[in-house]
Amino acid sequence: MAILSAVFWFLVFSLLSGMPGGGDLSSVLFRPSSLSLPLLNSFTFDQNPSPEQQPPPAPAPAEDRCAGRYIYMYDMPARFNEELLRDCRALRPWTAEGMCRYVANGGMGEPMGGDGGGIFSERGWFDTDQFVLDIIFHGRMKRYGCLTGDPAAAAAVFVPFYGSCDLGRHIFHRNASVKDALSEDLVGWLTRRSEWRAMGGRDHFFVAGRTTWDFRRERDEGWEWGSKLLNYPAVQNMTAILVEASPWSRNNLAVPYPTYFHPETAADVAAWQRRVRAAARPWLFSFAGGPRKGNGTIRADIIRQCGASSRCNLFHCHGAAASGCNAPGAVMRVFESSRFCLEPRGDTMTRRSTFDAILAGCIPVFFHPGSAYTQYTLHLPPERGGWSVLIPHADVTGRNVSIEETLAAISPEKVRSMREEVIRLIPTVVYADTRSSRVDFRDAFDVAVDAVVGRVARRRRDEPDARR
Ligand SMILES: *[C@@H]1O[C@H](CO)[C@@H](O)[C@H](O)[C@H]1NC(C)=O
Ligand SMILES: *[C@@H]1O[C@H](CO)[C@@H](O)[C@H](O)[C@H]1NC(C)=O
Ligand SMILES: *[C@@H]1O[C@H](CO)[C@@H](O)[C@H](O)[C@H]1NC(C)=O
Ligand SMILES: *[C@@H]1O[C@H](CO)[C@@H](O)[C@H](O)[C@H]1NC(C)=O
C-alpha cells in the first residue's frame, strides 16, 4: 500500500514537473511584490529578529483585551524553520523549480499578476501551494496581536516548526533515519526546555501543513511512507494542526487547506464575496481532478457521469492536461461558473479543492462524511445540509444514482440559500495576508488559535479534549 502510494505520487509529481525553471534562487525569494506591502524580512535569512518582531509587553490587566489569549512563540534555531526554505528547490526535488515560487511571500507564493482575466479580484491573490500551511501559520503568528514573551503568562505555546518542508525534502528517501532526523532533533530540543516542563508539552501546539498520514509511519523499512513525527510521545502531548487529522487520534486538529486568496482586510473579503455572489453560473456542476486507480474512490464514476452530462463542466486532470489543474486561474474559472462542485476523496479523504470551491461560491458535493464534516468541525458549520450536499459513495458506485438528477432536483431557492451560506464562510476558511499586521477580520488562523487556547484551558482544568 505504502509503496503503491509512493509510486503513485512519484507519477503525479512527475506529471507536474513541466514548470519553467525559476531563475536564480535569491531572485525568486526576494522578488518584490506587485502589491504595496513590503516583503517580510522575517522570511529572509536574517537570524536576528528586528525590533518590531519582539512581542509587545503585556498591558495592565484592567484593560487587557488579550486576557486568556496570550501565545508564547518559541524563538527556535533556524534549522527547524526558516533555514529549510533556503534550499527551496530541495523541498520538492522531483520538479525543476522545487518549492521556490511557493515559499515566497511567507508561504503565500508568488502574487498573481493582474486579475486573471476577471477570475480574481484586484487584491490578495497568490499562487499558493496546498502543503505550506506551517509557513503561512508562522507568518500569521508573528503578527498575532496577543504574543507574550513570558511563557508563564501564555494560554498556549506555539512551536514554529516546518514539518511539511522537512518531510518534502526526504519524501522519497528510503532511509528512515534520514526521514526522522529533524523530528528526533525537535523532540530533544523541546523536552529540554523549561517551558516544556510546565505541562509536559500539553500546552504546546505546532502546524505540519500536510495530512496526518504523512507523519505516522509505523515501521522503519525504508520504503514505508512518511516520517514518524506524530508518533513520538512528546509530540503526542502537543496539539498538531494539520490539513487532515486522524479520527483515531486526539492530538491532532484539522484546519482548511490554504487557498489562493490571502486578503488583508474585511473590505477585500467583501469585494470578493460580492463578485462571486454575482457570478454567472451556467454549469449545474463541475469536477476538476484526475482519475485514481482501484476501487477505493468513485472518481471513475464521477468522470463518466460528468463527461456524459451536458450540464457538467469536466476539467479532467489527466495526461498532458494535468499541469493545468495546478493553474489557479483555470481551476477558479471552472468553480466560479458552476453551482455545485464535486469533491470526492483524493489520495486521502480530504482535498484542497473543497476550499477552492467554497472560495468560488460553489456548493461542495461530498461523497463521504470524512471529506469535510468530521474533519473541519472548527471552521465549517454543523448544519451540513445548509452549505453542502452529501451523495453517499455507495449510491453512486453501487446503485448507479445520477449525480445530475440528484442536484437538479434541488430547488433554485434552496440552491440560492446554500450558496449564500457558502459565501458567508469565505472569511473563515481563508488565511489572511501573512505580511500584514492590519488584518481586521477573523480568518482560519484566528479560528484555529482560539480552538487551541480553549483546548489547553480544558487541559489545565483536567477536562478531556474536545474536537470543537
Ligand atoms: C541511514 O542514514 C543514517 C544517517 O545518515 C546512516 O548512519 C545509516 O547508515 C543509513 N542506513 C542505511 C541502511 O543506509
Ligand atoms: C506528557 O504529559 C504527561 C502528563 O502531563 C507527562 O507525564 C509526560 O512526561 C509527558 N511526556 C513527555 C515526553 O514530556
Ligand atoms: C474492483 O471491484 C470489482 C468488482 O468488485 C473487481 O472485479 C475488480 O477486480 C476490482 N478492481 C480493483 C483494481 O481492485
Ligand atoms: C447507469 O445509469 C446510466 C444513465 O441512467 C445508464 O446509461 C447506465 O446503463 C447505467 N449503468 C448501469 C450499470 O446500470
Side-chain angles (χ1 to χ4, degrees):
M1 170 63 200
I3 195 165
L4 276 180
S5 162
V7 167
F8 168 78
W9 275 105
F10 182 73
L11 291 174
V12 168
F13 293 136
S14 309
L15 284 172
L16 301 179
S17 64
M19 294 173 169
D24 104 55
L25 167 61
S26 57
S27 76
V28 170
L29 282 169
F30 301 117
R31 187 174 298 162
S33 159
S34 63
L35 300 178
S36 54
L37 290 164
L39 282 179
L40 262 192
N41 55 10
S42 43
F43 284 92
T44 66
F45 307 123
D46 178 3
Q47 296 189 19
N48 304 314
S50 57
E52 81 263 17
Q53 288 169 13
Q54 302 293 346
E63 57 187 52
D64 192 356
R65 67 184 175 84
C66 290
R69 296 172 51 232
Y70 282 107
I71 302 286
Y72 174 79
M73 174 164 64
Y74 278 113
D75 182 10
M76 299 183 83
R79 67 179 184 278
F80 291 118
N81 45 51
E82 284 157 18
E83 206 173 283
L84 289 165
L85 309 184
R86 201 176 285 179
D87 191 4
C88 54
R89 265 180 232 274
L91 300 180
R92 190 166 281 174
W94 56 91
T95 66
E97 200 185 38
M99 284 291 283
C100 297
R101 71 179 277 107
Y102 302 113
V103 304
N105 293 311
M108 296 186 297
E110 291 292 333
M112 299 291 180
D115 72 353
I119 298 298
F120 314 121
S121 47
E122 307 264 302
R123 297 157 46 83
W125 292 82
F126 297 81
D127 187 0
T128 306
D129 186 75
Q130 60 175 336
F131 292 144
V132 288
L133 192 60
D134 23 27
I135 311 175
I136 289 177
F137 216 90
H138 188 198
R140 291 284 291 122
M141 190 60 85
K142 285 174 178 170
R143 276 145 188 82
Y144 179 66
C146 299
L147 287 177
T148 174
D150 175 10
V157 176
F158 180 61
V159 180
F161 169 58
Y162 295 175
S164 74
C165 300
D166 174 43
L167 184 60
R169 317 183 274 176
H170 301 312
I171 208 152
F172 296 117
H173 212 290
R174 297 178 56 85
N175 184 334
S177 45
V178 170
K179 287 191 279 200
D180 296 330
L182 197 64
S183 305
E184 206 82 50
D185 187 359
L186 174 75
V187 167
W189 188 88
L190 282 173
T191 53
R192 285 194 300 272
R193 305 260 86 69
S194 57
E195 295 92 327
W196 180 270
R197 284 195 286 275
M199 282 182 76
R202 294 170 72 249
D203 53 351
H204 284 42
F205 70 111
F206 70 103
V207 179
R210 302 181 62 102
T211 77
T212 194
W213 316 113
D214 289 333
F215 304 105
R216 294 185 179 278
R217 200 188 67 240
E218 292 289 336
R219 290 184 297 269
D220 284 348
E221 279 84 5
W223 45 261
E224 242 187 83
W225 184 257
S227 78
K228 55 183 183 193
L229 174 66
L230 295 178
N231 296 347
Y232 293 95
V235 175
Q236 291 191 347
N237 274 12
M238 300 196 262
T239 296
I241 293 180
L242 299 141
V243 291
E244 178 174 332
S246 164
W248 299 287
S249 170
R250 284 281 168 196
N251 76 334
N252 55 187
L253 291 177
V255 301
Y257 286 76
T259 64
Y260 306 113
F261 190 37
H262 303 283
E264 196 189 358
T265 64
D268 293 346
V269 175
W272 175 249
Q273 287 173 310
R274 278 195 297 279
R275 197 179 181 106
V276 290
R277 194 175 284 126
R281 298 182 186 269
W283 300 98
L284 174 64
F285 63 124
S286 68
F287 175 64
R292 292 288 187 276
K293 287 205 178 72
N295 289 339
T297 79
I298 59 165
R299 289 188 176 215
D301 294 272
I302 285 175
I303 290 166
R304 181 179 51 77
Q305 288 202 21
C306 182
S309 166
S310 61
R311 294 198 277 177
C312 188
N313 188 359
L314 179 60
F315 187 4
H316 199 178
C317 305
H318 189 45
S323 62
C325 299
N326 265 18
V331 172
M332 292 300 290
R333 184 188 304 276
V334 171
F335 292 177
E336 284 169 39
S337 59
S338 306
R339 279 166 267 166
F340 295 96
C341 289
L342 308 186
E343 302 297 349
R345 54 170 293 170
D347 297 296
T348 66
M349 275 299 169
T350 64
R351 304 176 83 196
R352 175 240 176 94
S353 171
T354 295
F355 297 98
D356 292 335
I358 293 173
L359 179 60
C362 186
I363 301 162
V365 179
F366 300 112
F367 300 89
H368 195 289
S371 289
Y373 306 147
T374 59
Q375 287 283 338
Y376 307 105
T377 52
L378 303 171
H379 294 81
L380 298 177
E383 301 79 23
R384 307 158 173 192
W387 56 273
S388 69
V389 175
L390 177 69
I391 304 178
H393 171 125
D395 284 1
V396 178
T397 54
R399 299 177 42 227
N400 202 20
V401 161
S402 162
I403 298 168
E404 176 176 344
E405 282 169 23
T406 307
L407 298 177
I410 303 173
S411 73
E413 302 75 61
K414 175 73 178 163
V415 172
R416 255 194 303 280
S417 91
M418 290 169 91
R419 180 161 55 244
E420 197 47 43
E421 182 69 6
V422 168
I423 292 171
R424 200 184 58 79
L425 290 173
I426 291 173
T428 312
V429 302
V430 299
Y431 295 92
D433 193 318
T434 56
R435 305 165 305 176
S436 175
S437 35
R438 63 182 191 110
V439 171
D440 61 353
F441 67 98
R442 194 171 142 80
D443 73 345
F445 165 87
D446 292 316
V447 172
V449 168
D450 285 357
V452 170
V453 164
R455 186 178 161 94
V456 174
R458 281 190 297 274
R459 289 179 167 192
R460 287 186 206 280
R461 297 191 301 262
D462 277 329
E463 292 168 15
D465 291 344
R467 273 293 164 82
R468 298 184 58 81

Coordinates of all heavy atoms in Angstrom, one line a residue, residues 304-305 399-402 405, ligand 4:
R304 N -17.1 9.6 -15.6 CA -18.1 9.1 -16.6 C -19.4 9.9 -16.6 O -19.8 10.4 -17.6 CB -18.3 7.6 -16.3 CG -19.3 6.9 -17.3 CD -19.5 5.4 -17.0 NE -19.9 5.2 -15.6 CZ -21.1 5.4 -15.1 NH1 -22.1 5.9 -15.9 NH2 -21.4 5.1 -13.9
Q305 N -20.0 10.1 -15.4 CA -21.2 10.8 -15.3 C -21.1 12.3 -15.8 O -21.9 12.8 -16.5 CB -21.8 10.8 -13.9 CG -22.3 9.4 -13.5 CD -23.3 9.6 -12.3 OE1 -23.9 10.6 -12.1 NE2 -23.6 8.5 -11.6
R399 N -25.4 1.8 -6.8 CA -26.8 1.9 -7.2 C -27.0 2.8 -8.4 O -28.1 3.1 -8.8 CB -27.7 2.4 -6.0 CG -27.6 1.4 -4.8 CD -28.4 1.9 -3.6 NE -29.6 2.4 -4.0 CZ -30.1 3.6 -3.5 NH1 -29.4 4.3 -2.6 NH2 -31.3 4.1 -3.9
N400 N -25.9 3.2 -9.0 CA -25.9 4.0 -10.2 C -26.8 5.2 -10.1 O -27.5 5.6 -11.0 CB -26.4 3.1 -11.4 CG -26.0 3.7 -12.8 OD1 -25.1 4.5 -12.9 ND2 -26.7 3.3 -13.8
V401 N -26.8 5.8 -8.9 CA -27.5 7.1 -8.7 C -27.0 8.2 -9.6 O -25.7 8.3 -9.7 CB -27.5 7.5 -7.2 CG1 -27.8 9.0 -7.0 CG2 -28.4 6.6 -6.4
S402 N -27.8 8.9 -10.2 CA -27.4 10.0 -11.1 C -27.1 11.3 -10.3 O -28.0 11.8 -9.6 CB -28.5 10.3 -12.1 OG -28.3 11.6 -12.7
E405 N -29.2 14.2 -11.8 CA -30.6 14.2 -11.3 C -30.7 14.6 -9.8 O -31.6 15.4 -9.5 CB -31.3 12.8 -11.5 CG -31.7 12.6 -13.0 CD -32.0 11.1 -13.2 OE1 -32.4 10.4 -12.3 OE2 -31.9 10.7 -14.4
Ligands
LIG4 C1 -26.3 3.8 -15.1 O1 -27.2 4.9 -15.5 C2 -26.9 5.3 -16.8 C3 -27.8 6.6 -17.0 O2 -29.1 6.4 -16.4 C4 -27.2 4.2 -17.8 O3 -27.0 4.7 -19.1 C5 -26.3 3.1 -17.4 O4 -26.6 2.0 -18.3 C6 -26.4 2.6 -16.0 N1 -25.4 1.7 -15.7 C7 -25.7 0.5 -15.0 C8 -24.5 -0.4 -14.8 O5 -26.8 0.2 -14.6

